[in-house]
Amino acid sequence: MEIDVRGFSCPQPIIETKKMIDKKVNSFSVLVDGVAAKENVSRFAKSMKYDVVVNETEYGWKLDLKKQ
């Protein structure tokens, strides 16, 4: 499962990530295109007990989140 929040400014990427976490999705990816979104979503996901793997892409970053 993947959510695309490219083009959105904070806090929207975190809000969309939280929606997935609230649905009890154990593993999903978040596509972001800004450094602030990458940092904020990563920090939020880690605080919610998700492991985060960040991969740079041609459009920004893909954050792979997996419940610990």
Side-chain angles (χ1 to χ4, degrees):
M1 191 169 284
E2 188 173 87
I3 57 174
D4 185 350
V5 292
R6 291 174 291 178
F8 290 99
S9 57
C10 284
Q12 198 61 40
I14 292 173
I15 292 168
E16 297 303 318
T17 301
K18 184 178 186 310
K19 287 179 186 177
M20 294 294 281
I21 290 172
D22 288 346
K23 290 180 185 175
K24 307 284 191 248
V25 178
N26 290 324
S27 179
F28 62 99
S29 299
V30 183
L31 305 177
V32 299
D33 61 358
V35 173
K38 175 181 66 112
E39 298 297 326
N40 292 338
V41 170
S42 295
R43 191 177 315 111
F44 173 70
K46 289 175 183 175
S47 76
M48 299 301 288
K49 305 291 189 234
Y50 278 73
D51 291 321
V52 180
V53 176
V54 179
N55 294 298
E56 193 164 357
T57 67
E58 72 266 12
Y59 57 76
W61 296 270
K62 180 180 179 187
L63 312 177
D64 294 313
L65 280 56
K66 186 172 184 182
K67 185 73 172 164
Q68 294 175 355

